[in-house]
Amino acid sequence: MLRSGPSVILFLAWRGLRQYGLSSIVAAFSIALAGGLFLSTWKIKTETEKAFRVYDGGFDAVLGVRGSKVDLVLNSIFHVSNGPDKPLTQEQYENLKNNRAVKEAIPLSGGDNYKGFRMVGTIRKLFEDHEWRPGRKYELAAGELFADDRQEAVFGAFVARKLKIRVGDVIQPYHGLDFTGEDSVHPNDFVVTGVLEPTGTPADHVVWIPIEGALNMPGHAEGLGFAPSSVLIKFQPKAKREYLQLLYYYRNHPELMMPDILMTIAPLFEKFKAFEFALTAIAALVALTAAGVILATLRSAMNEKRREIAILRSLGARRATVTASILAHAGLITLLGIIGAFAIFAGIGSFAADYIREEVGVIIELFEYDPIFLQVSAGMLAIGLLSGLLPAIQAYRSDVAQNLTPTS
Amino acid sequence: MAFLEIANLRKSFPSPEGGELPVVEVKEFTMQAGDQLALRGTSGSGKTTFLHLIAGILKPDAGAIHIDGECISEFHEARRDLMRANSIGYVFQSFNLLQGYTCLENLLLPMAFAGEANQERAEELLEQVGLDHRMGHYPRQLSIGQQQRVAVARALVNEPKLVLADEPTGNLDPSSAAQALELLRKLCVDTKAALLLVSHDQALVDSFDQNLDWRDLNAAFEQATGTS
């Protein structure tokens, strides 16, 4: 029911939106673009950073030969990037494993792939005892774990689903970390014994095989014996003194290094600062343009609306009513823009989240409530209403008598 | 006390040459409730300004306007707006229908400004003016005569005590003009509204039992029109 007050103001604003449909939509789209770009940039950056910064696979550090710490951590934890140039020796592994500061030492060995997914050699202990998150161990969705002395494989949930792998299938690995074609195949068979439950971690993207199997495939350097490329370490929480001694030992070791996982990943995101700044600047520019478009839309509408405002006033509309209707028109444009911004964010965000999950296996939670959603909405509304302020003032000052019929 | 009582009313506008140009100077003017009175005057002689002053669209420089015992010239703007919505209907020469709104909405809006829109009443009135089949049409989809009928219905939708008509037939052909005038006068009688009509058309003004020459009423007539 149309009545004096907000309902008639909204009715007038809605009619304004319809009368100036095309320009209103262009203005709303500009706002949507600005808000959507800003939200996408911000959320993808912060959530990716959060996901990478907090994910350590349940380990504290990685041991490898001296080289790039970032590569070592990315390779061992996220199963991306290249691994170390040289493997560790069995003696180096044993020394670490037997240290009193070390609770868990899980050896890894990589270098091959199965149709683009990395095959990583390890030991059963990773699945039997290790908690990748406090209270969470890897679990099998089907089959059983590989035997440490056989050529068997356990598939991460994502790879199994993607490649439609079932327990009992026989696969042949391919040389190298990337799949380059069928001619790079290893001519030896691995039997799939199990498929892991999904964890939402990079482990879902890996084909796990016994480390003995990985090291003894034909074509690999022979005579190395047990030579993992890196070792994932979980420290004994109570052995502080031994931990510090171990830290000191590897810090000064000429051949080996033992970077802390989270401390190594954190600075990585500093490199994205410039990119982030550029995107934020673009979003700010688009927001300014959007404000300009609203202003231009309403101002040009005002030139045509002078008569209409005068007629409304002659019918008894209060000055405040017509002024508020212009502001409400700007508000409605902005509201449409805000809805559009979230739609754009949902589109870009879903694509980015899928891409990151497929490429790295890290799940980023883009759509959980974040105060930035309210802040951006409020910011957009403020920009929209500010843009409507000048035309609203024009409406307020509009001379009724002058804009009605010519005097006789 | 008369229904409409005006005393010592004066309104001037800034002159292009500087100074003030008196447009309306009415010493005394009265109308009783339900009266129908026509004022004849030439273009540019201040008739519209006179109606704007009575409607509260303009504020007089001096003088008092009493409508139904209330001195509207002392009202602040928001109260004048409310008074206009509730008590005054206005019919313009160029109809002044809201182009982006349907015929029905053109009637609903003034009702909303007065408090609350009553769709039944608006539909009933459009039916009375013979436009019940055009309620959802926009003004541009109507003939000129039909547009003026919508304007008449709109002026009466809030059952005002006073209807002001400014050259209401000026844009119509003689046949449509006669019909529109008859309709306006009949609806005013039906709703017991007083009608004050201004026109330059001598025949139209003469058709009213009560009629006046604006020149006799407005002391500023000569200055406003530039005649001597």
Side-chain angles (χ1 to χ4, degrees):
Chain A
M1 177 67 77
L2 205 56
R3 65 180 68 201
S4 175
S7 86
V8 78
I9 290 169
L10 277 178
F11 179 74
L12 293 172
W14 174 246
R15 276 313 162 92
L17 198 71
R18 272 181 43 175
Q19 267 177 286
Y20 304 95
L22 184 65
S23 42
S24 297
I25 284 170
V26 170
F29 181 72
S30 311
I31 292 184
L33 203 60
L37 272 179
F38 184 80
L39 271 179
S40 304
T41 312
W42 179 271
K43 282 294 285 176
I44 291 169
K45 176 236 158 200
T46 49
E47 291 302 322
T48 309
E49 196 170 331
K50 208 192 305 177
F52 275 83
R53 274 190 172 159
V54 298
Y55 182 69
D56 55 13
F59 294 100
D60 299 314
V62 186
L63 181 73
V65 294
R66 201 161 273 284
S68 163
K69 287 179 184 175
V70 171
D71 277 349
L72 180 67
V73 170
L74 287 179
N75 183 261
S76 306
I77 296 293
F78 295 99
H79 308 291
V80 293
S81 182
N82 291 325
D85 295 336
K86 278 167 59 184
L88 299 164
T89 64
Q90 185 159 5
E91 187 190 354
Q92 287 166 338
Y93 168 63
E94 296 291 344
N95 276 345
L96 175 80
K97 195 176 82 170
N98 296 327
N99 191 292
R100 284 190 59 201
V102 174
K103 184 181 173 193
E104 293 176 48
I106 305 292
L108 299 179
S109 176
D112 293 308
N113 76 90
Y114 179 65
K115 297 192 174 167
F117 292 96
R118 294 195 176 194
M119 295 185 74
V120 177
T122 188
I123 54 176
R124 286 169 62 107
K125 202 172 158 49
L126 174 67
F127 306 103
E128 289 170 340
D129 301 333
H130 177 68
E131 290 184 351
W132 56 271
R133 208 166 65 190
R136 293 287 305 272
K137 288 182 182 178
Y138 293 108
E139 284 173 22
L140 284 160
E144 56 189 36
L145 290 177
F146 51 68
D148 277 334
D149 57 350
R150 287 195 211 132
Q151 294 207 322
E152 294 176 340
V154 169
F155 271 66
F158 183 83
V159 199
R161 182 166 54 82
K162 191 93 175 170
L163 301 180
K164 296 185 174 66
I165 294 289
R166 290 172 196 282
V167 173
D169 286 353
V170 176
I171 61 157
Q172 290 188 327
Y174 297 83
H175 280 296
L177 294 174
D178 299 314
F179 180 59
T180 53
E182 289 296 333
D183 51 353
S184 61
V185 72
H186 273 296
N188 58 322
D189 295 344
F190 278 74
V191 178
V192 179
T193 60
V195 173
L196 293 173
E197 287 278 10
T199 58
T201 71
D204 294 351
H205 284 240
V206 173
V207 180
W208 300 97
I209 55 172
I211 195 163
E212 301 282 353
L215 293 170
N216 294 316
M217 266 189 262
H220 284 190
E222 287 168 17
L224 284 174
F226 187 84
S229 46
S230 62
V231 182
L232 298 169
I233 307 161
K234 177 96 186 153
F235 294 114
Q236 287 285 4
K238 287 179 182 167
K240 297 276 184 215
R241 192 165 59 89
E242 287 85 352
Y243 164 70
L244 288 172
Q245 283 172 347
L246 197 65
L247 213 59
Y248 182 77
Y249 173 73
Y250 285 115
R251 191 168 290 161
N252 297 303
H253 199 288
E255 293 173 13
L256 303 176
M257 60 181 182
M258 188 184 65
D260 179 280
I261 294 168
L262 298 182
M263 283 172 66
T264 307
I265 290 295
L268 195 62
F269 288 90
E270 296 301 316
K271 294 177 184 175
F272 296 112
K273 287 277 184 227
F275 177 66
E276 180 196 331
F277 177 76
L279 272 178
T280 309
I282 290 170
L285 282 176
V286 179
L288 271 180
T289 311
V293 174
I294 294 181
L295 181 63
T297 301
L298 292 177
R299 280 210 68 173
S300 95
M302 276 304 299
N303 290 332
E304 296 169 37
K305 277 183 104 159
R306 278 181 215 286
R307 180 97 187 273
E308 184 179 309
I309 288 168
I311 297 169
L312 288 169
R313 295 288 320 279
S314 77
L315 296 176
R318 292 175 64 173
R319 206 182 273 273
T321 303
V322 290
T323 307
S325 78
I326 301 292
L327 274 179
H329 183 177
L332 281 180
I333 291 176
T334 315
L335 205 62
L336 284 178
I338 291 172
I339 293 168
F342 279 94
I344 288 174
F345 164 61
I348 296 177
S350 299
F351 176 78
D354 285 352
Y355 179 79
I356 292 169
R357 186 168 54 84
E358 295 223 355
E359 287 298 307
V360 199
V362 172
I363 292 176
I364 56 170
E365 301 288 352
L366 288 178
F367 304 114
E368 275 182 7
Y369 173 74
D370 186 321
I372 194 79
F373 293 154
L374 269 186
Q375 288 159 2
V376 168
S377 302
M380 286 193 282
L381 199 59
I383 288 174
L385 291 179
L386 272 177
S387 316
L389 205 56
L390 190 64
I393 291 169
Q394 272 185 305
Y396 187 85
R397 289 183 174 165
S398 182
D399 188 308
V400 183
Q402 223 168 47
N403 290 304
L404 278 170
T405 46
T407 51
S408 58
Chain B
M1 192 179 207
F3 168 69
L4 171 64
E5 209 169 280
I6 292 169
N8 301 318
L9 185 68
R10 207 169 64 231
K11 182 70 183 173
S12 304
F13 291 112
S15 159
E17 291 86 30
E20 293 287 305
L21 177 70
V23 174
V24 173
E25 273 185 41
V26 175
K27 201 162 182 57
E28 192 185 356
F29 178 79
T30 57
M31 273 181 82
Q32 299 302 325
D35 273 2
Q36 295 199 348
L37 187 148
L39 277 178
R40 197 197 71 78
T42 51
S43 298
S45 59
K47 302 190 301 293
T48 298
T49 302
F50 182 54
L51 294 190
H52 282 352
L53 288 165
I54 296 171
I57 290 171
L58 290 173
K59 203 168 164 55
D61 300 333
I65 302 169
H66 285 87
I67 296 178
D68 211 11
E70 289 191 296
C71 184
I72 68 150
S73 42
E74 286 176 359
F75 286 179
H76 56 76
E77 189 184 70
R79 194 158 170 212
R80 289 205 311 272
D81 292 338
L82 190 62
M83 180 276 302
R84 188 159 60 248
N86 278 308
S87 307
I88 292 182
Y90 213 135
V91 184
F92 302 90
Q93 178 179 356
S94 52
F95 322 138
N96 277 347
L97 294 178
L98 295 158
Q99 295 300 316
Y101 300 78
T102 64
C103 294
L104 184 63
E105 287 164 350
N106 264 279
L107 267 67
L108 292 175
L109 273 171
M111 293 170 102
F113 297 143
E116 188 172 301
N118 178 347
Q119 185 156 339
E120 211 173 303
R121 157 87 181 141
E123 286 174 355
E124 190 186 311
L125 208 52
L126 281 173
E127 202 178 317
Q128 279 184 48
V129 299
L131 290 171
D132 47 329
H133 59 301
R134 298 284 189 147
M135 288 183 195
H137 285 65
Y138 288 89
R140 63 179 178 278
Q141 296 169 316
L142 304 179
S143 70
I144 298 291
Q146 287 171 327
Q147 288 185 40
Q148 188 60 310
R149 272 145 66 190
V150 176
V152 168
R154 185 178 68 181
L156 286 146
V157 76
N158 283 335
E159 299 183 24
K161 295 169 189 165
L162 174 63
V163 173
L164 304 171
D166 188 357
E167 301 277 9
T169 58
N171 280 1
L172 303 176
D173 61 74
S175 158
S176 303
Q179 281 177 18
L181 185 65
E182 192 188 330
L183 182 70
L184 176 63
R185 295 190 69 172
K186 180 184 174 304
L187 285 172
C188 284
V189 170
D190 291 349
T191 55
K192 298 182 177 65
L195 171 65
L196 174 59
L197 180 145
V198 297
S199 175
H200 67 279
D201 184 341
Q202 184 71 57
L204 190 151
V205 171
D206 288 345
S207 71
F208 279 69
D209 292 339
Q210 293 185 64
N211 59 66
L212 281 171
D213 198 314
W214 176 237
R215 183 195 294 259
D216 299 334
L217 191 63
N218 183 19
F221 182 86
E222 283 173 7
Q223 284 163 286
T225 56
T227 56
S228 55

